[in-house]
PDB file of all heavy atoms in Angstrom:
ATOM      1  N   GLU A   1     -26.459 127.422  -5.675  1.00 96.00           N
ATOM      2  CA  GLU A   1     -27.405 126.993  -4.649  1.00 96.00           C
ATOM      3  C   GLU A   1     -27.193 125.521  -4.303  1.00 96.00           C
ATOM      4  O   GLU A   1     -27.340 125.119  -3.144  1.00 96.00           O
ATOM      5  CB  GLU A   1     -28.837 127.216  -5.132  1.00 96.00           C
ATOM      6  CG  GLU A   1     -29.888 126.944  -4.074  1.00 96.00           C
ATOM      7  CD  GLU A   1     -31.281 127.310  -4.546  1.00 96.00           C
ATOM      8  OE1 GLU A   1     -31.408 128.131  -5.484  1.00 96.00           O
ATOM      9  OE2 GLU A   1     -32.254 126.772  -3.980  1.00 96.00           O
ATOM     10  N   THR A   2     -26.881 124.723  -5.322  1.00 97.00           N
ATOM     11  CA  THR A   2     -26.566 123.305  -5.111  1.00 97.00           C
ATOM     12  C   THR A   2     -25.312 122.950  -5.902  1.00 97.00           C
ATOM     13  O   THR A   2     -25.002 123.586  -6.917  1.00 97.00           O
ATOM     14  CB  THR A   2     -27.722 122.388  -5.563  1.00 97.00           C
ATOM     15  OG1 THR A   2     -27.972 122.595  -6.960  1.00 97.00           O
ATOM     16  CG2 THR A   2     -28.981 122.651  -4.766  1.00 97.00           C
ATOM     17  N   TRP A   3     -24.619 121.918  -5.418  1.00 98.00           N
ATOM     18  CA  TRP A   3     -23.415 121.414  -6.088  1.00 98.00           C
ATOM     19  C   TRP A   3     -23.615 119.929  -6.388  1.00 98.00           C
ATOM     20  O   TRP A   3     -24.193 119.195  -5.597  1.00 98.00           O
ATOM     21  CB  TRP A   3     -22.182 121.585  -5.198  1.00 98.00           C
ATOM     22  CG  TRP A   3     -21.840 123.012  -4.903  1.00 98.00           C
ATOM     23  CD1 TRP A   3     -22.296 123.766  -3.857  1.00 98.00           C
ATOM     24  CD2 TRP A   3     -20.992 123.855  -5.675  1.00 98.00           C
ATOM     25  NE1 TRP A   3     -21.764 125.029  -3.913  1.00 98.00           N
ATOM     26  CE2 TRP A   3     -20.962 125.115  -5.035  1.00 98.00           C
ATOM     27  CE3 TRP A   3     -20.246 123.681  -6.833  1.00 98.00           C
ATOM     28  CZ2 TRP A   3     -20.235 126.189  -5.510  1.00 98.00           C
ATOM     29  CZ3 TRP A   3     -19.506 124.745  -7.315  1.00 98.00           C
ATOM     30  CH2 TRP A   3     -19.492 125.990  -6.664  1.00 98.00           C
ATOM     31  N   ASP A   4     -23.092 119.508  -7.545  1.00 98.00           N
ATOM     32  CA  ASP A   4     -23.169 118.088  -7.891  1.00 98.00           C
ATOM     33  C   ASP A   4     -22.028 117.302  -7.241  1.00 98.00           C
ATOM     34  O   ASP A   4     -22.230 116.166  -6.803  1.00 98.00           O
ATOM     35  CB  ASP A   4     -23.098 117.919  -9.419  1.00 98.00           C
ATOM     36  CG  ASP A   4     -24.221 118.652 -10.124  1.00 98.00           C
ATOM     37  OD1 ASP A   4     -25.383 118.299  -9.867  1.00 98.00           O
ATOM     38  OD2 ASP A   4     -23.931 119.583 -10.905  1.00 98.00           O
ATOM     39  N   LEU A   5     -20.852 117.889  -7.211  1.00 98.00           N
ATOM     40  CA  LEU A   5     -19.664 117.212  -6.697  1.00 98.00           C
ATOM     41  C   LEU A   5     -18.875 118.163  -5.806  1.00 98.00           C
ATOM     42  O   LEU A   5     -18.795 119.374  -6.089  1.00 98.00           O
ATOM     43  CB  LEU A   5     -18.755 116.752  -7.841  1.00 98.00           C
ATOM     44  CG  LEU A   5     -19.278 115.669  -8.791  1.00 98.00           C
ATOM     45  CD1 LEU A   5     -18.400 115.598 -10.041  1.00 98.00           C
ATOM     46  CD2 LEU A   5     -19.312 114.321  -8.090  1.00 98.00           C
ATOM     47  N   ALA A   6     -18.294 117.631  -4.755  1.00 98.00           N
ATOM     48  CA  ALA A   6     -17.353 118.393  -3.927  1.00 98.00           C
ATOM     49  C   ALA A   6     -16.135 117.517  -3.690  1.00 98.00           C
ATOM     50  O   ALA A   6     -16.272 116.344  -3.321  1.00 98.00           O
ATOM     51  CB  ALA A   6     -17.990 118.792  -2.600  1.00 98.00           C
ATOM     52  N   LEU A   7     -14.962 118.062  -3.931  1.00 98.00           N
ATOM     53  CA  LEU A   7     -13.719 117.328  -3.737  1.00 98.00           C
ATOM     54  C   LEU A   7     -13.026 117.816  -2.475  1.00 98.00           C
ATOM     55  O   LEU A   7     -12.724 119.002  -2.333  1.00 98.00           O
ATOM     56  CB  LEU A   7     -12.794 117.494  -4.945  1.00 98.00           C
ATOM     57  CG  LEU A   7     -11.411 116.844  -4.817  1.00 98.00           C
ATOM     58  CD1 LEU A   7     -11.534 115.333  -4.612  1.00 98.00           C
ATOM     59  CD2 LEU A   7     -10.542 117.155  -6.038  1.00 98.00           C
ATOM     60  N   ASP A   8     -12.775 116.883  -1.580  1.00 98.00           N
ATOM     61  CA  ASP A   8     -12.032 117.149  -0.343  1.00 98.00           C
ATOM     62  C   ASP A   8     -10.555 116.889  -0.608  1.00 98.00           C
ATOM     63  O   ASP A   8     -10.100 115.754  -0.609  1.00 98.00           O
ATOM     64  CB  ASP A   8     -12.555 116.235   0.767  1.00 98.00           C
ATOM     65  CG  ASP A   8     -11.654 116.233   2.004  1.00 98.00           C
ATOM     66  OD1 ASP A   8     -10.882 117.192   2.170  1.00 98.00           O
ATOM     67  OD2 ASP A   8     -11.738 115.263   2.784  1.00 98.00           O
ATOM     68  N   ALA A   9      -9.798 117.963  -0.837  1.00 98.00           N
ATOM     69  CA  ALA A   9      -8.341 117.875  -0.978  1.00 98.00           C
ATOM     70  C   ALA A   9      -7.694 118.776   0.067  1.00 98.00           C
ATOM     71  O   ALA A   9      -6.706 119.464  -0.199  1.00 98.00           O
ATOM     72  CB  ALA A   9      -7.921 118.284  -2.392  1.00 98.00           C
ATOM     73  N   VAL A  10      -8.267 118.764   1.266  1.00 97.00           N
ATOM     74  CA  VAL A  10      -7.831 119.670   2.330  1.00 97.00           C
ATOM     75  C   VAL A  10      -6.610 119.106   3.045  1.00 97.00           C
ATOM     76  O   VAL A  10      -5.560 119.748   3.123  1.00 97.00           O
ATOM     77  CB  VAL A  10      -8.984 119.921   3.314  1.00 97.00           C
ATOM     78  CG1 VAL A  10      -8.515 120.846   4.451  1.00 97.00           C
ATOM     79  CG2 VAL A  10     -10.176 120.544   2.589  1.00 97.00           C
ATOM     80  N   LEU A  11      -6.740 117.898   3.592  1.00 95.00           N
ATOM     81  CA  LEU A  11      -5.632 117.258   4.295  1.00 95.00           C
ATOM     82  C   LEU A  11      -5.493 115.831   3.783  1.00 95.00           C
ATOM     83  O   LEU A  11      -6.493 115.144   3.559  1.00 95.00           O
ATOM     84  CB  LEU A  11      -5.876 117.230   5.808  1.00 95.00           C
ATOM     85  CG  LEU A  11      -5.922 118.578   6.531  1.00 95.00           C
ATOM     86  CD1 LEU A  11      -6.297 118.364   7.999  1.00 95.00           C
ATOM     87  CD2 LEU A  11      -4.596 119.307   6.424  1.00 95.00           C
ATOM     88  N   GLY A  12      -4.254 115.373   3.633  1.00 90.00           N
ATOM     89  CA  GLY A  12      -4.002 114.031   3.125  1.00 90.00           C
ATOM     90  C   GLY A  12      -3.519 113.086   4.203  1.00 90.00           C
ATOM     91  O   GLY A  12      -3.756 113.285   5.399  1.00 90.00           O
ATOM     92  N   THR A  13      -2.778 112.069   3.775  1.00 89.00           N
ATOM     93  CA  THR A  13      -2.337 111.028   4.704  1.00 89.00           C
ATOM     94  C   THR A  13      -1.312 111.539   5.720  1.00 89.00           C
ATOM     95  O   THR A  13      -1.139 110.941   6.773  1.00 89.00           O
ATOM     96  CB  THR A  13      -1.717 109.842   3.942  1.00 89.00           C
ATOM     97  OG1 THR A  13      -0.652 110.328   3.113  1.00 89.00           O
ATOM     98  CG2 THR A  13      -2.754 109.158   3.087  1.00 89.00           C
ATOM     99  N   GLY A  14      -0.641 112.628   5.399  1.00 81.00           N
ATOM    100  CA  GLY A  14       0.385 113.131   6.310  1.00 81.00           C
ATOM    101  C   GLY A  14      -0.160 113.946   7.462  1.00 81.00           C
ATOM    102  O   GLY A  14       0.587 114.325   8.364  1.00 81.00           O
ATOM    103  N   ALA A  15      -1.466 114.234   7.451  1.00 83.00           N
ATOM    104  CA  ALA A  15      -2.044 115.084   8.492  1.00 83.00           C
ATOM    105  C   ALA A  15      -2.100 114.357   9.826  1.00 83.00           C
ATOM    106  O   ALA A  15      -2.295 113.148   9.886  1.00 83.00           O
ATOM    107  CB  ALA A  15      -3.440 115.527   8.076  1.00 83.00           C
ATOM    108  N   ARG A  16      -1.935 115.117  10.901  1.00 80.00           N
ATOM    109  CA  ARG A  16      -2.021 114.566  12.250  1.00 80.00           C
ATOM    110  C   ARG A  16      -2.861 115.478  13.118  1.00 80.00           C
ATOM    111  O   ARG A  16      -2.835 116.698  12.967  1.00 80.00           O
ATOM    112  CB  ARG A  16      -0.627 114.411  12.863  1.00 80.00           C
ATOM    113  CG  ARG A  16       0.265 113.398  12.144  1.00 80.00           C
ATOM    114  CD  ARG A  16       1.626 113.313  12.797  1.00 80.00           C
ATOM    115  NE  ARG A  16       2.497 112.358  12.110  1.00 80.00           N
ATOM    116  CZ  ARG A  16       3.759 112.133  12.428  1.00 80.00           C
ATOM    117  NH1 ARG A  16       4.304 112.796  13.439  1.00 80.00           N
ATOM    118  NH2 ARG A  16       4.482 111.258  11.759  1.00 80.00           N
ATOM    119  N   GLY A  17      -3.569 114.875  14.043  1.00 81.00           N
ATOM    120  CA  GLY A  17      -4.330 115.659  14.990  1.00 81.00           C
ATOM    121  C   GLY A  17      -5.649 116.153  14.431  1.00 81.00           C
ATOM    122  O   GLY A  17      -6.031 115.866  13.299  1.00 81.00           O
ATOM    123  N   GLU A  18      -6.328 116.919  15.263  1.00 89.00           N
ATOM    124  CA  GLU A  18      -7.664 117.431  14.957  1.00 89.00           C
ATOM    125  C   GLU A  18      -7.565 118.619  14.003  1.00 89.00           C
ATOM    126  O   GLU A  18      -6.764 119.526  14.207  1.00 89.00           O
ATOM    127  CB  GLU A  18      -8.315 117.870  16.264  1.00 89.00           C
ATOM    128  CG  GLU A  18      -9.770 118.200  16.153  1.00 89.00           C
ATOM    129  CD  GLU A  18     -10.655 116.989  16.410  1.00 89.00           C
ATOM    130  OE1 GLU A  18     -10.156 115.981  16.927  1.00 89.00           O
ATOM    131  OE2 GLU A  18     -11.842 117.081  16.086  1.00 89.00           O
ATOM    132  N   PRO A  19      -8.366 118.647  12.904  1.00 93.00           N
ATOM    133  CA  PRO A  19      -8.406 119.856  12.070  1.00 93.00           C
ATOM    134  C   PRO A  19      -8.848 121.048  12.916  1.00 93.00           C
ATOM    135  O   PRO A  19      -9.824 120.965  13.660  1.00 93.00           O
ATOM    136  CB  PRO A  19      -9.446 119.508  11.002  1.00 93.00           C
ATOM    137  CG  PRO A  19      -9.482 118.017  10.958  1.00 93.00           C
ATOM    138  CD  PRO A  19      -9.222 117.573  12.366  1.00 93.00           C
ATOM    139  N   GLN A  20      -8.110 122.143  12.794  1.00 92.00           N
ATOM    140  CA  GLN A  20      -8.383 123.328  13.606  1.00 92.00           C
ATOM    141  C   GLN A  20      -8.692 124.517  12.716  1.00 92.00           C
ATOM    142  O   GLN A  20      -8.330 124.550  11.539  1.00 92.00           O
ATOM    143  CB  GLN A  20      -7.171 123.649  14.491  1.00 92.00           C
ATOM    144  CG  GLN A  20      -6.763 122.541  15.451  1.00 92.00           C
ATOM    145  CD  GLN A  20      -7.732 122.361  16.601  1.00 92.00           C
ATOM    146  OE1 GLN A  20      -8.495 123.274  16.925  1.00 92.00           O
ATOM    147  NE2 GLN A  20      -7.713 121.189  17.227  1.00 92.00           N
ATOM    148  N   GLY A  21      -9.332 125.508  13.294  1.00 94.00           N
ATOM    149  CA  GLY A  21      -9.546 126.771  12.612  1.00 94.00           C
ATOM    150  C   GLY A  21     -10.257 126.628  11.289  1.00 94.00           C
ATOM    151  O   GLY A  21     -11.322 126.004  11.180  1.00 94.00           O
ATOM    152  N   LEU A  22      -9.662 127.200  10.245  1.00 95.00           N
ATOM    153  CA  LEU A  22     -10.270 127.158   8.919  1.00 95.00           C
ATOM    154  C   LEU A  22     -10.386 125.740   8.385  1.00 95.00           C
ATOM    155  O   LEU A  22     -11.307 125.426   7.626  1.00 95.00           O
ATOM    156  CB  LEU A  22      -9.442 128.001   7.941  1.00 95.00           C
ATOM    157  CG  LEU A  22      -9.771 129.483   7.867  1.00 95.00           C
ATOM    158  CD1 LEU A  22      -8.824 130.178   6.907  1.00 95.00           C
ATOM    159  CD2 LEU A  22     -11.223 129.690   7.426  1.00 95.00           C
ATOM    160  N   LEU A  23      -9.444 124.873   8.759  1.00 96.00           N
ATOM    161  CA  LEU A  23      -9.525 123.484   8.316  1.00 96.00           C
ATOM    162  C   LEU A  23     -10.787 122.832   8.867  1.00 96.00           C
ATOM    163  O   LEU A  23     -11.475 122.085   8.167  1.00 96.00           O
ATOM    164  CB  LEU A  23      -8.285 122.715   8.767  1.00 96.00           C
ATOM    165  CG  LEU A  23      -6.947 123.209   8.223  1.00 96.00           C
ATOM    166  CD1 LEU A  23      -5.797 122.420   8.825  1.00 96.00           C
ATOM    167  CD2 LEU A  23      -6.915 123.092   6.700  1.00 96.00           C
ATOM    168  N   ALA A  24     -11.102 123.108  10.128  1.00 96.00           N
ATOM    169  CA  ALA A  24     -12.332 122.588  10.719  1.00 96.00           C
ATOM    170  C   ALA A  24     -13.558 123.185  10.029  1.00 96.00           C
ATOM    171  O   ALA A  24     -14.565 122.490   9.826  1.00 96.00           O
ATOM    172  CB  ALA A  24     -12.361 122.880  12.219  1.00 96.00           C
ATOM    173  N   GLU A  25     -13.471 124.453   9.643  1.00 97.00           N
ATOM    174  CA  GLU A  25     -14.577 125.086   8.908  1.00 97.00           C
ATOM    175  C   GLU A  25     -14.782 124.398   7.558  1.00 97.00           C
ATOM    176  O   GLU A  25     -15.917 124.211   7.100  1.00 97.00           O
ATOM    177  CB  GLU A  25     -14.294 126.580   8.702  1.00 97.00           C
ATOM    178  CG  GLU A  25     -14.234 127.403   9.975  1.00 97.00           C
ATOM    179  CD  GLU A  25     -15.603 127.641  10.596  1.00 97.00           C
ATOM    180  OE1 GLU A  25     -16.620 127.335   9.937  1.00 97.00           O
ATOM    181  OE2 GLU A  25     -15.648 128.134  11.740  1.00 97.00           O
ATOM    182  N   ALA A  26     -13.676 124.028   6.915  1.00 97.00           N
ATOM    183  CA  ALA A  26     -13.784 123.341   5.629  1.00 97.00           C
ATOM    184  C   ALA A  26     -14.441 121.981   5.792  1.00 97.00           C
ATOM    185  O   ALA A  26     -15.271 121.571   4.974  1.00 97.00           O
ATOM    186  CB  ALA A  26     -12.394 123.188   5.004  1.00 97.00           C
ATOM    187  N   VAL A  27     -14.074 121.275   6.860  1.00 97.00           N
ATOM    188  CA  VAL A  27     -14.708 119.981   7.132  1.00 97.00           C
ATOM    189  C   VAL A  27     -16.208 120.173   7.340  1.00 97.00           C
ATOM    190  O   VAL A  27     -17.031 119.426   6.786  1.00 97.00           O
ATOM    191  CB  VAL A  27     -14.073 119.319   8.371  1.00 97.00           C
ATOM    192  CG1 VAL A  27     -14.884 118.100   8.812  1.00 97.00           C
ATOM    193  CG2 VAL A  27     -12.635 118.918   8.078  1.00 97.00           C
ATOM    194  N   GLN A  28     -16.571 121.184   8.118  1.00 97.00           N
ATOM    195  CA  GLN A  28     -17.982 121.441   8.383  1.00 97.00           C
ATOM    196  C   GLN A  28     -18.723 121.775   7.089  1.00 97.00           C
ATOM    197  O   GLN A  28     -19.863 121.322   6.871  1.00 97.00           O
ATOM    198  CB  GLN A  28     -18.126 122.583   9.388  1.00 97.00           C
ATOM    199  CG  GLN A  28     -19.553 122.945   9.748  1.00 97.00           C
ATOM    200  CD  GLN A  28     -20.301 121.830  10.441  1.00 97.00           C
ATOM    201  OE1 GLN A  28     -19.687 120.929  11.009  1.00 97.00           O
ATOM    202  NE2 GLN A  28     -21.630 121.880  10.396  1.00 97.00           N
ATOM    203  N   ALA A  29     -18.098 122.557   6.219  1.00 98.00           N
ATOM    204  CA  ALA A  29     -18.730 122.904   4.945  1.00 98.00           C
ATOM    205  C   ALA A  29     -18.972 121.662   4.099  1.00 98.00           C
ATOM    206  O   ALA A  29     -20.039 121.508   3.478  1.00 98.00           O
ATOM    207  CB  ALA A  29     -17.853 123.903   4.189  1.00 98.00           C
ATOM    208  N   LEU A  30     -18.008 120.764   4.072  1.00 98.00           N
ATOM    209  CA  LEU A  30     -18.162 119.532   3.304  1.00 98.00           C
ATOM    210  C   LEU A  30     -19.236 118.635   3.915  1.00 98.00           C
ATOM    211  O   LEU A  30     -19.985 117.956   3.194  1.00 98.00           O
ATOM    212  CB  LEU A  30     -16.825 118.799   3.215  1.00 98.00           C
ATOM    213  CG  LEU A  30     -15.792 119.465   2.305  1.00 98.00           C
ATOM    214  CD1 LEU A  30     -14.384 118.939   2.583  1.00 98.00           C
ATOM    215  CD2 LEU A  30     -16.149 119.243   0.831  1.00 98.00           C
ATOM    216  N   ARG A  31     -19.336 118.614   5.244  1.00 98.00           N
ATOM    217  CA  ARG A  31     -20.391 117.848   5.893  1.00 98.00           C
ATOM    218  C   ARG A  31     -21.772 118.401   5.509  1.00 98.00           C
ATOM    219  O   ARG A  31     -22.716 117.648   5.256  1.00 98.00           O
ATOM    220  CB  ARG A  31     -20.213 117.868   7.410  1.00 98.00           C
ATOM    221  CG  ARG A  31     -19.032 117.065   7.938  1.00 98.00           C
ATOM    222  CD  ARG A  31     -19.214 115.577   7.741  1.00 98.00           C
ATOM    223  NE  ARG A  31     -20.330 115.023   8.483  1.00 98.00           N
ATOM    224  CZ  ARG A  31     -20.213 114.334   9.609  1.00 98.00           C
ATOM    225  NH1 ARG A  31     -19.014 114.101  10.121  1.00 98.00           N
ATOM    226  NH2 ARG A  31     -21.274 113.857  10.212  1.00 98.00           N
ATOM    227  N   GLN A  32     -21.890 119.707   5.470  1.00 98.00           N
ATOM    228  CA  GLN A  32     -23.170 120.323   5.112  1.00 98.00           C
ATOM    229  C   GLN A  32     -23.518 120.055   3.650  1.00 98.00           C
ATOM    230  O   GLN A  32     -24.686 119.816   3.323  1.00 98.00           O
ATOM    231  CB  GLN A  32     -23.118 121.823   5.400  1.00 98.00           C
ATOM    232  CG  GLN A  32     -23.096 122.143   6.894  1.00 98.00           C
ATOM    233  CD  GLN A  32     -22.840 123.605   7.193  1.00 98.00           C
ATOM    234  OE1 GLN A  32     -22.383 124.365   6.331  1.00 98.00           O
ATOM    235  NE2 GLN A  32     -23.129 124.018   8.425  1.00 98.00           N
ATOM    236  N   LEU A  33     -22.510 120.085   2.784  1.00 98.00           N
ATOM    237  CA  LEU A  33     -22.762 119.739   1.385  1.00 98.00           C
ATOM    238  C   LEU A  33     -23.227 118.288   1.256  1.00 98.00           C
ATOM    239  O   LEU A  33     -24.136 117.983   0.473  1.00 98.00           O
ATOM    240  CB  LEU A  33     -21.484 119.960   0.561  1.00 98.00           C
ATOM    241  CG  LEU A  33     -21.107 121.416   0.288  1.00 98.00           C
ATOM    242  CD1 LEU A  33     -19.697 121.499  -0.312  1.00 98.00           C
ATOM    243  CD2 LEU A  33     -22.120 122.070  -0.652  1.00 98.00           C
ATOM    244  N   ASP A  34     -22.614 117.420   2.030  1.00 98.00           N
ATOM    245  CA  ASP A  34     -23.021 116.015   2.036  1.00 98.00           C
ATOM    246  C   ASP A  34     -24.485 115.892   2.445  1.00 98.00           C
ATOM    247  O   ASP A  34     -25.273 115.178   1.799  1.00 98.00           O
ATOM    248  CB  ASP A  34     -22.117 115.238   2.996  1.00 98.00           C
ATOM    249  CG  ASP A  34     -22.529 113.792   3.155  1.00 98.00           C
ATOM    250  OD1 ASP A  34     -22.917 113.168   2.151  1.00 98.00           O
ATOM    251  OD2 ASP A  34     -22.466 113.271   4.283  1.00 98.00           O
ATOM    252  N   GLU A  35     -24.877 116.597   3.510  1.00 97.00           N
ATOM    253  CA  GLU A  35     -26.254 116.533   3.985  1.00 97.00           C
ATOM    254  C   GLU A  35     -27.229 117.119   2.973  1.00 97.00           C
ATOM    255  O   GLU A  35     -28.407 116.719   2.934  1.00 97.00           O
ATOM    256  CB  GLU A  35     -26.365 117.276   5.318  1.00 97.00           C
ATOM    257  CG  GLU A  35     -25.642 116.564   6.459  1.00 97.00           C
ATOM    258  CD  GLU A  35     -25.439 117.446   7.674  1.00 97.00           C
ATOM    259  OE1 GLU A  35     -25.905 118.614   7.648  1.00 97.00           O
ATOM    260  OE2 GLU A  35     -24.804 116.981   8.650  1.00 97.00           O
ATOM    261  N   ALA A  36     -26.742 118.024   2.121  1.00 97.00           N
ATOM    262  CA  ALA A  36     -27.594 118.623   1.094  1.00 97.00           C
ATOM    263  C   ALA A  36     -27.683 117.771  -0.169  1.00 97.00           C
ATOM    264  O   ALA A  36     -28.384 118.146  -1.118  1.00 97.00           O
ATOM    265  CB  ALA A  36     -27.066 120.013   0.730  1.00 97.00           C
ATOM    266  N   GLY A  37     -26.976 116.633  -0.186  1.00 97.00           N
ATOM    267  CA  GLY A  37     -27.085 115.734  -1.334  1.00 97.00           C
ATOM    268  C   GLY A  37     -25.936 115.806  -2.313  1.00 97.00           C
ATOM    269  O   GLY A  37     -25.956 115.110  -3.342  1.00 97.00           O
ATOM    270  N   THR A  38     -24.915 116.610  -2.036  1.00 98.00           N
ATOM    271  CA  THR A  38     -23.744 116.678  -2.905  1.00 98.00           C
ATOM    272  C   THR A  38     -22.911 115.408  -2.752  1.00 98.00           C
ATOM    273  O   THR A  38     -22.723 114.920  -1.630  1.00 98.00           O
ATOM    274  CB  THR A  38     -22.879 117.900  -2.547  1.00 98.00           C
ATOM    275  OG1 THR A  38     -23.679 119.073  -2.633  1.00 98.00           O
ATOM    276  CG2 THR A  38     -21.687 118.032  -3.487  1.00 98.00           C
ATOM    277  N   ARG A  39     -22.418 114.890  -3.859  1.00 98.00           N
ATOM    278  CA  ARG A  39     -21.513 113.746  -3.778  1.00 98.00           C
ATOM    279  C   ARG A  39     -20.134 114.229  -3.339  1.00 98.00           C
ATOM    280  O   ARG A  39     -19.546 115.106  -3.968  1.00 98.00           O
ATOM    281  CB  ARG A  39     -21.424 113.045  -5.134  1.00 98.00           C
ATOM    282  CG  ARG A  39     -22.659 112.202  -5.442  1.00 98.00           C
ATOM    283  CD  ARG A  39     -22.639 111.704  -6.859  1.00 98.00           C
ATOM    284  NE  ARG A  39     -23.685 110.711  -7.084  1.00 98.00           N
ATOM    285  CZ  ARG A  39     -24.190 110.408  -8.277  1.00 98.00           C
ATOM    286  NH1 ARG A  39     -23.731 111.014  -9.357  1.00 98.00           N
ATOM    287  NH2 ARG A  39     -25.128 109.492  -8.397  1.00 98.00           N
TER     288      ARG A  39
END
């Protein structure tokens, strides 16, 4: 129901352009976890 920590290891320094598709979904999920208080 809640998470203490979330690690973003989706895209690194080599990434270019806008995250698309599932990558964008992962970004959105991490944003929602952030809003819920997850570090």
Side-chain angles (χ1 to χ4, degrees):
E1 186 174 338
T2 60
W3 296 90
D4 301 298
L5 294 166
L7 176 60
D8 168 21
V10 179
L11 295 175
T13 56
R16 295 179 181 177
E18 190 90 14
Q20 301 288 339
L22 273 177
L23 298 176
E25 295 286 350
V27 170
Q28 180 63 21
L30 288 163
R31 289 292 296 258
Q32 290 172 344
L33 287 170
D34 175 39
E35 291 165 2
T38 304
R39 284 171 170 158

